[in-house]
């Protein structure tokens, strides 16, 4: 009963490449999120979306963009990958209620060489 | 900005010992607080939410508004409790602000 899926578990890219990370949820959630997870820094919000074609910057949006053309899909784009973007990227989705659970994907481990 | 502080990066205990993972939040009226857990090689998942006032896997957490704390407790730790634990709070637009996490290691 997988609810949030991410396109890749591991990804290796070169500096300067354009990188696409895809996320799909099957719970009809309005809200979707992209985080990066780094040791000692916890989860940091990159971007989120509360509706199709709507997006809001999180705490660390620099170097990233997002796309939400369909309700179930939320993409994270690294326009020109850099080594400091090597990280674990987590996608999540959530309903509208204040106490709704946020469901996470398995994560994509991105390495930029 | 909303803040969540988890002062311990690592907590190491022996099996059967009590466990308390600390979480403090920045004050703002009526916070909505959660604990999430990530076991090795598994995805992050909800452990409990303060509104439920329930015990999950033997863990409880009490909201203390006076101390702005939401510490996670378990009277007798088990080896399978070893995981990374994140405290989180609602921050508007249905977003969550997470603490930096505490790694719990339970030794036999």
């Amino acid at each position: 009963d997988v609810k949030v899926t991410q396109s890749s578990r591991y990804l290796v890219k070169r500096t300067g490449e354009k990188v696409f990370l895809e996320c799909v949820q099957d719970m009809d959630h309005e809200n979707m999120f992209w985080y990066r997870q780094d040791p000692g820094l916890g989860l940091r919000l990159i971007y989120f979306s509360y509706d199709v074609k709507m997006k809001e910057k999180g705490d660390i949006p620099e170097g990233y963009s997002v796309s939400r053309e369909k309700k179930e899909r939320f993409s994270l784009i690294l326009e020109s990958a850099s080594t400091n973007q090597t990280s674990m990227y987590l996608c999540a989705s959530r309903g509208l209620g204040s106490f709704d659970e946020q469901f996470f994907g398995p994560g994509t481990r991105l390495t930029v060489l | 900005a909303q803040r969540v502080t988890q002062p311990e990066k690592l907590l190491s205990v022996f099996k059967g010992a009590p466990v308390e993972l600390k979480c403090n939040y920045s004050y703002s009226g009526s916070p909505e607080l959660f604990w999430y857990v990530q076991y090795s090689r598994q995805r992050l998942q909800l452990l409990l939410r303060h509104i439920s006032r329930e015990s999950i896997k033997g863990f409880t957490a009490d909201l203390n508004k006076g101390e702005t704390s939401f510490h996670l407790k378990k009277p007798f730790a088990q080896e399978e409790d070893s995981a990374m634990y994140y405290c989180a709070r609602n921050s508007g637009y249905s977003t969550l602000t997470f603490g930096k996490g505490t790694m719990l290691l339970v030794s036999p």
Side-chain angles (χ1 to χ4, degrees):
Chain A
D1 63 339
V2 175
K3 298 179 171 65
V4 181
T5 57
Q6 295 182 229
S7 51
S8 307
R9 287 290 277 132
Y10 300 94
L11 210 50
V12 179
K13 296 292 182 181
R14 297 210 173 272
T15 301
E17 281 192 82
K18 191 169 186 176
V19 182
F20 292 87
L21 302 183
E22 306 285 340
C23 175
V24 177
Q25 53 99 359
D26 64 0
M27 294 167 284
D28 202 35
H29 284 160
E30 287 76 9
N31 298 299
M32 295 188 74
F33 310 87
W34 276 106
Y35 296 89
R36 59 179 286 177
Q37 183 181 32
D38 300 288
L41 297 178
L43 272 71
R44 293 180 292 168
L45 182 63
I46 303 171
Y47 266 97
F48 65 97
S49 169
Y50 53 89
D51 201 354
V52 174
K53 296 192 185 296
M54 305 304 289
K55 60 185 179 183
E56 293 285 342
K57 293 180 180 179
D59 300 317
I60 52 163
E62 295 78 19
Y64 303 94
S65 62
V66 290
S67 172
R68 188 147 180 221
E69 297 297 318
K70 293 185 178 182
K71 189 176 186 180
E72 67 271 19
R73 189 179 298 271
F74 191 36
S75 303
L76 180 69
I77 304 152
L78 286 66
E79 295 290 342
S80 178
S82 63
T83 55
N84 63 11
Q85 292 178 309
T86 291
S87 186
M88 173 67 86
Y89 289 88
L90 300 182
C91 176
S93 73
R94 193 180 188 202
L96 294 174
S98 295
F99 287 98
D100 281 7
E101 179 175 352
Q102 187 159 298
F103 291 89
F104 286 85
T108 295
R109 170 75 64 186
L110 173 66
T111 301
V112 183
L113 302 176
Chain B
Q2 310 290 7
R3 288 192 311 277
V4 176
T5 304
Q6 294 180 250
E8 302 138 330
K9 287 187 178 180
L10 173 66
L11 186 61
S12 186
V13 301
F14 288 105
K15 178 182 173 181
V19 169
E20 181 179 68
L21 291 91
K22 292 182 166 53
C23 172
N24 289 90
Y25 61 90
S26 54
Y27 175 77
S28 70
S30 298
E32 295 145 340
L33 292 154
F34 309 81
W35 277 98
Y36 281 77
V37 61
Q38 188 169 31
Y39 300 102
S40 179
R41 291 186 290 278
Q42 293 187 29
R43 62 183 71 195
L44 201 59
Q45 59 187 283
L46 177 67
L47 180 62
L48 56 78
R49 61 199 104 189
H50 92 262
I51 194 70
S52 302
R53 303 184 66 83
E54 58 192 342
S55 173
I56 304 292
K57 299 185 179 182
F59 285 97
T60 58
D62 291 321
L63 176 61
N64 185 323
K65 290 187 177 181
E67 296 182 358
T68 61
S69 68
F70 186 56
H71 302 330
L72 184 67
K73 300 177 183 179
K74 185 169 183 176
F76 307 104
Q78 303 300 314
E79 289 180 69
E80 55 266 28
D81 295 329
S82 294
M84 179 68 86
Y85 291 81
Y86 292 96
C87 184
R89 67 169 296 169
N90 273 336
S91 297
Y93 281 112
S94 293
T95 65
L96 291 174
T97 295
F98 287 85
K100 294 184 178 181
T102 298
M103 173 66 78
L104 174 65
L105 291 177
V106 182
S107 305

